[in-house]
Structures are given as structure tokens and as C-alpha cells.
Amino acid sequence: MILNEEEKKVILDSIRDVNDFPKPGIVFKDITTLLNNKEAFQVLMNHLESRYKSYNLDYIAGIDSRGFIFGAALADRLGIGFVPVRKKGKLPGTTICEKYELEYGFDEVEIHIDAFNNQIGARVLLMDDLIATGGTAVAASRLVVDTNANLIEVCFLLNLEFLNGVKRVEEIAPVYSLLNI
Ligand code: AMP
């Protein structure tokens, strides 16, 4: 199930570019203007639902924090559970964590060790709004795999193609990005 050109345009036009945020030189892709646009949000969710309804998924995992919004909405549409992959220090239960490199320094993401109810081979889709270098998604993918779940696919709304992040994630699981820019 591929997004048609008209649907692509509705979604892309709803995402706002904010220059020099959070620092000079970065063009931040602001998805709040997609979320408050009922037509664009519905086109997006209808597409995701039609793509993933045949995947026989058990859970959606979403990456902190915008992956939570799309991931939880899709989990509800598919009638399955949702699991947050959070930045370090936010999850209250026993966690496993994965460090990854940023432009300057390191960051860490965590998942509850029993996030998928200890179901070995649980079929999981991992979601985030955007892939840039791929560092965050690689770390989150490793966490899903380390819980003994079956990472079926990693899904992004936006792929900043010139940074080649998708290649890194594809070493772990298949990747689907709706909009390659
Ligand atoms: P990366 O680990 O480099 O792939 O960065 C991906 C994470 O940073 C995602 O969670 C994105 O939401 C966020 N991110 C990175 N670059 C941007 C950008 N230009 N606009 C919006 N979000 C971004």
C-alpha cells in the first residue's frame, strides 16, 4: 500500500518548516501543523491503517516523543497495544537501555524489559515522525530486538534522505518512510 501523490501532497503541505530551531542551521520539521489539520491527520492515519492492517502486528512501539502520537493513534486503529521507547530516566519499571551518539555527545533510550508482556516473537512495528542520521531509530530498534520481540518494520513519516539514516536502520529491520525529502 503506497501513498498516492495527492495524499503525499496533503501531508507534506501540512508540515511546517521552522528555520534555525533548535539551533542555527537546522530546519525543524514541525508536525504540530499536521496534527491540528484534521484532513491531513486523517489522510495519514487512513494510509497507515490500510498499510498495516494486514501485517498481523501485536504492538506498535513509538519513539519519544512524537512517535508516541502517531504510534498510539495507529495502535488504537489496529486494536493492538502501544509501547513507549523513552529518553533515559522516564520509565518507572525495570528497563534496558541503549546509548547512541549525537552530533556532540551521547543520549540514551530505554524500554521496559516486560514491555511486550514477555511474549517472545511479538510482532512489533516501531514508529517515529522523522529519521535524520538514524542514531535514535537504530538504538530504539536494538531495544525492541533485545526484548526478544520480532521487529517487523520501522516506519517514519519523513526521511531526510541526504543523511542516509535509513541504510543504518535497514541493517536491523525493513524501513518504510512515507515522505522522502
Ligand atoms: P536522528 O537520530 O539523527 O535520526 O534524529 C531523529 C530524531 O530527532 C527524531 O526523533 C526526530 O523527531 C528528531 N529530529 C531530528 N532532526 C529533525 C528535524 N530536522 N526536524 C524535526 N525533528 C528532527
Side-chain angles (χ1 to χ4, degrees):
M1 181 65 65
I2 299 296
L3 205 59
N4 70 42
E5 289 307 313
E6 202 180 315
E7 292 168 327
K8 258 187 199 171
K9 186 169 161 34
V10 170
I11 297 171
L12 199 54
D13 287 352
S14 75
I15 297 168
R16 168 167 65 183
D17 282 358
V18 181
N19 290 320
D20 300 318
F21 182 89
K23 54 185 181 186
I26 305 282
V27 180
F28 191 84
K29 298 288 177 185
D30 178 16
I31 53 92
T32 64
T33 46
L34 185 168
L35 297 170
N36 72 8
N37 176 329
K38 65 183 178 192
E39 187 197 358
F41 195 17
Q42 203 164 49
V43 166
L44 169 69
M45 293 313 302
N46 286 345
H47 170 68
L48 290 173
E49 182 181 5
S50 69
R51 178 180 176 84
Y52 287 112
K53 68 183 178 202
S54 60
Y55 273 55
N56 202 18
L57 297 167
D58 296 308
Y59 298 90
I60 310 282
I63 300 178
D64 202 343
S65 61
R66 289 175 294 269
F68 296 171
I69 302 167
F70 303 109
L74 181 59
D76 184 58
R77 285 222 182 181
L78 298 177
I80 60 177
F82 174 78
V83 167
V85 175
R86 296 219 63 179
K87 294 277 165 63
K88 193 177 167 61
K90 303 284 186 186
L91 290 171
T94 305
T95 60
I96 49 174
C97 84
E98 187 77 42
K99 219 174 186 178
Y100 61 98
E101 208 169 346
L102 300 171
E103 202 179 342
Y104 301 103
F106 290 88
D107 211 342
E108 277 179 73
V109 281
E110 288 187 313
I111 195 169
H112 276 141
I113 196 151
D114 59 356
F116 305 109
N117 295 301
N118 304 313
Q119 186 185 336
I120 292 171
R123 293 174 63 82
V124 174
L125 173 74
L126 177 64
M127 288 200 73
D128 203 359
D129 65 330
L130 180 144
I131 178 164
T133 65
T136 315
V138 164
S141 298
R142 287 195 181 129
L143 287 179
V144 171
V145 170
D146 286 348
T147 60
N148 294 316
N150 183 3
L151 182 56
I152 300 296
E153 192 158 85
V154 188
C155 175
F156 305 97
L157 257 55
L158 290 164
N159 168 26
L160 302 186
E161 253 176 336
F162 70 101
L163 290 169
N164 283 318
V166 165
K167 242 196 205 154
R168 297 176 61 196
V169 181
E170 277 176 342
E171 287 174 20
I172 305 172
V175 171
Y176 175 61
S177 37
L178 278 82
L179 304 165
N180 298 289
I181 53 175

